[in-house]
Amino acid sequence: MPAFLLRSVFTVDGIDGLTRDGGTRRAEVVRKLVEEAGGQLLSLHFAFADDDTYVLCVLPDHRTAAALAIRIGAARGVRTRVTPLLTPAEVDEATRTPTDYTAPGV
């Protein structure tokens, strides 16, 4: 299954909910969401950075990742960005894939 990094920033309402629920409860909610979508939560971390949470998970496909991002965004507690991740082997395969490209101005 492909891996994804979900980075989220809490909205004001989301921070209020986090204050009430706590981090452990939020992690349980995220784990359940990912598992019900057929995936596996690999890690979840809170941070004091540009993003408030970092979730590493595997999901069945990109459509599922998009569905989760839409569902999370519609709830309005966090703004989430989804980044598809590649394994080193996938990068190796990509570098061996023939492509035909001409840079601008060349």
Side-chain angles (χ1 to χ4, degrees), residues 15-99:
I15 291 171
D16 184 49
L18 177 65
T19 301
R20 282 193 318 272
D21 295 346
T24 302
R25 175 68 184 125
R26 294 313 315 156
E28 291 170 2
V29 168
V30 172
R31 178 179 306 281
K32 181 179 176 188
L33 176 69
V34 169
E35 289 176 356
E36 286 180 352
Q40 179 184 5
L41 178 67
L42 303 176
S43 67
L44 181 149
H45 299 275
F46 293 90
F48 301 107
D50 291 335
D51 298 305
D52 296 320
T53 64
Y54 296 87
V55 173
L56 180 61
C57 62
V58 291
L59 295 168
D61 50 40
H62 290 81
R63 180 188 55 76
T64 302
L68 292 185
I70 292 166
R71 184 177 310 156
I72 292 167
R76 300 185 177 165
V78 295
R79 290 184 306 278
T80 299
R81 294 185 315 270
V82 177
T83 303
L85 303 174
L86 300 169
T87 65
E90 289 171 322
V91 171
D92 290 345
E93 188 176 322
T95 61
R96 291 189 295 269
T97 300
T99 57

Side-chain angles (χ1 to χ4, degrees), residues 5-23:
L5 174 65
L6 285 70
R7 297 177 294 159
S8 298
V9 176
F10 286 106
T11 65
V12 172
D13 290 338
I15 291 171
D16 184 49
L18 177 65
T19 301
R20 282 193 318 272
D21 295 346

